[in-house]
Amino acid sequence: MTALGLVRAVGIRLAAAVAVLFGAATVAFAALQLVPGNPVAVLLGPATTAPPAVREQIRVDFGFNRPVVTQYLIYLGHLARGDLGQSYQLQRPVSSLIGSQLGSTAQLALAAIGLAVVIAVMSAVATAGRPRLTAIASTWELVAVSTPSFWLGIVLLTFFSFRWRIFPVAGSQSFSSLVLPALTLALPIAGVLAQVLREGLEAALDQPFVVTARARGLSRTAVRLRHALRHAAVSLVTLAGWLTGTLLGGAVLVEVVFARPGIGALTLQAVSNKDMPVVIGVVLLSAGVFVVLSTLVDLAYLAIDPRLRKG
Amino acid sequence: MTAMAVADPALLTHPPVTGDRTRRRLSRPGVALAGVVLVLLTLVAVDPGLFTSTAPNETDLARALSGPSGAHWFGTDQLGRDMFARVLYGARPSLLVGLGSTVFALLGGTAVGLAAALGGRVGDEALMRLVDVLLSLPPLLLALLAVTVLGTGTVNVMLAVAIAFAPGYARIVRAEALVVRRSGYVEAAVGLGLRRPVLVARHVLPNTLGPLLVLGTVGFGTSVIYASGLSFLGLGARPPSPEWGAMLSEGRDFLSSAWWIGVFPGLGITVAVIAVNVVGRYAQQRFAGRAR
């Protein structure tokens, strides 16, 4: 890739990133406008005890007395400076609230997606092109994609924590407290990934290069792992990237089930209290995660498929 | 945004559309069994009294938290209510919310998708960029944002789940409508001098609808999961409603002593969604086969 091409590619990528963030910010602003009632009261939420002076300050800060377009520009100006505003329920800046909870959720999400990919690869590589095994694997995958994660979490908790006391009931302190929540998030995703990966593997195993590789003396397993898997990996990476982004949503349920602190628990609290600045902050975080993940997915394509590197 | 190399999320919110290979894998007995389960679930939802004579909210504290037995197949909860009766009575609120949100998502998605496909370049750009932004957010987060705006409650959860899935449908309808619009019979209809609304109603819409309804079947299962999840979070149906998500939320404090409280309501959701997914995939394959 030439230097100019690289600059161009990075430029397009950055523009797309800004577009997504700008779009998400606009959707969030529109949502804030759509909440019925006095905007100051909405922003403060039902459980507030803010004195009139604070209310007046908010009116001025957010410019609620000005036209909507002006308010929108002020809001974008705040965001551009990285100012997500203040949570009125928790009396702290939104960015520091999100920052303090991000680690726990990121740990959970990464553990879940890693586990899901491992399970999916095992399930698909072992069964692709083998009808009997595929029938068995398809059944568990169907059950996995049809099971609500919060119920799966409750069942795991009931048996592995309460009944057999193998894993702790709640918290996020130790490694063992990560096992059940990560498994809960991972299994439904693993079902989807395994189905798509098997489709890709079977398409790859039908290609002539498989016969060539076998003729060169490679074992069936080696052909699957070294050649077919590489061909099927593009769709796996694409899906896994998108699904990692959705984990920010899935984490809400799983963190509640396992009483784990994190972005999910923070989001639920904010939604219940109509704490709009925090909800908006989480929406923007999610858009940011989407941008980062799609960049990583594109980079992964280059690692998987040498044909793309010439560009 | 088009530079973003992320797969079409519409494919992801539903189990992937299966190709040739999987066609032979769906066994006829499996599909038939799923069909029977769906018929039974419909009957339960319409009239739970056909299957149990116990009332779902009848308390009996003397028998609280007793395990599954001949008298109480699914055991009793912390108030001595019969779990079997509650799970049966929960079918209606749980499935109805999922059905309602799927219908609203299909209606909203169809309206936006058709408007984008037929509304000229500016309208198309504006609507599809909005759809792109909404699709970049996790569906559950989008639903939570909608609940924050709309407020809690069953109807609002139904609308919120519809909002979460409508963008995916909008993108599919737009793509289908563009294909249909360029097809020979629509050109012929234009040549015959048909007016635009008539053209859309008589030719574009019916030919876009088929694939959409098939996707909607599988989407219904996903909607049931999301709606019960929001109820579990305390944002939708509230106890003492036997809605499955609300039941799980209510029973959470008793998991340590009574496993049946946590298991059976969720089993209702899972069995319903498996049956819907099997039938939906079968419909997808039949449809794909016919189109070829």
Side-chain angles (χ1 to χ4, degrees), chain B residues 131-149:
Chain B
V131 164
D132 281 342
V133 168
L134 294 180
L135 285 175
S136 76
L137 299 172
L140 191 69
L141 194 59
L142 202 52
L144 286 172
L145 181 65
V147 169
T148 319
V149 172

Side-chain angles (χ1 to χ4, degrees), chain A residues 16 20 23 31 134 142 146 148 150-151 158 162 195 199 202 206 238-239 242 245 249 253 256 271 274 276 286 294 298 301, chain B residues 1 4-7 9 12 16 21 25 138 140-141 148-149 228-229 252 256 259 262-263 266-267 270 274 277-278 281:
Chain A
V20 172
T134 294
L142 173 70
S146 306
F150 59 99
W151 180 60
T158 305
F162 287 121
Q195 289 172 344
E199 289 278 321
E202 293 190 339
D206 277 347
T238 311
L239 253 174
W242 190 79
L253 287 158
V256 167
V271 169
K274 287 200 181 249
M276 273 311 266
S286 176
S294 41
D298 279 3
Y301 287 162
Chain B
M1 188 87 78
M4 296 276 161
V6 163
L12 309 172
R21 227 165 247 293
R25 268 183 218 149
L140 191 69
L141 194 59
T148 319
V149 172
S228 61
R252 271 184 66 208
S256 55
W259 59 266
V263 168
L267 202 59
T270 306
I274 290 176
N277 278 343
V278 169
R281 283 182 201 190

